[in-house]
Amino acid sequence: MEKNEKELVIPENCLPVEYLIMGFTMYDILAIGICVVIGSVVALSLYHRTHNSMITFAVIFAVAIVAITLWRRDRFTENIFNKIWIAILYQKTQKNYLYEYVDTWDKEITYDVRYNTRK
């Protein structure tokens, strides 16, 4: 390769995303923080009712793990919410399956060569 030529970089079909931590943008970390704060409020209300600190830590830990799982982005910069939205949009699309019925017991099948259809 000559000195003037640069290496060809073929970008993937992904939006440019700036990660603070690998797989998490600022928006994702903010959403996880909000979920943990809400989970902490729920856990503290459970603590005031039951006076069991193990339940409190379990609820906070479970909420944090679920939030991290939901908002972590993969290599295509999609999280679970994006994937569910893509699946919903795919379900709404019209699906056409073009087919031609062929009787399997019919021994002789003739085609019209001009139109590529059966006679």
Side-chain angles (χ1 to χ4, degrees):
M1 188 162 36
E2 295 179 15
K3 292 182 180 180
N4 295 336
E5 293 182 17
K6 294 183 180 178
E7 184 178 337
L8 178 63
V9 178
I10 301 173
E12 297 178 11
N13 193 12
C14 298
L15 297 173
V17 177
E18 291 186 23
Y19 292 120
L20 294 178
I21 302 172
M22 191 59 193
F24 297 102
T25 61
M26 183 63 178
Y27 167 75
D28 300 332
I29 292 174
L30 181 66
I32 291 169
I34 290 171
C35 287
V36 169
V37 167
I38 292 172
S40 299
V41 169
V42 171
L44 287 175
S45 67
L46 283 174
Y47 178 74
H48 286 296
R49 288 185 182 188
T50 62
H51 297 290
N52 188 350
S53 62
M54 192 65 174
I55 293 174
T56 304
F57 290 121
V59 168
I60 293 172
F61 185 72
V63 167
I65 293 299
V66 168
I68 289 171
T69 304
L70 291 178
W71 270 282
R72 184 173 190 317
R73 295 179 183 269
D74 60 1
R75 63 183 179 148
F76 303 111
T77 67
E78 297 173 349
N79 55 20
I80 297 293
F81 298 115
N82 297 125
K83 290 179 183 184
I84 291 171
W85 182 248
I86 291 169
I88 289 171
L89 290 179
Y90 178 75
Q91 286 291 347
K92 291 181 180 179
T93 60
Q94 182 179 2
K95 296 163 191 72
N96 293 327
Y97 300 101
L98 302 175
Y99 64 93
E100 180 179 349
Y101 174 74
V102 177
D103 188 9
T104 56
W105 299 105
D106 188 14
K107 298 294 182 193
E108 183 179 329
I109 301 173
T110 58
Y111 288 93
D112 188 356
V113 179
R114 294 175 298 172
Y115 301 108
N116 197 19
T117 59
R118 279 184 35 183
K119 288 185 179 180

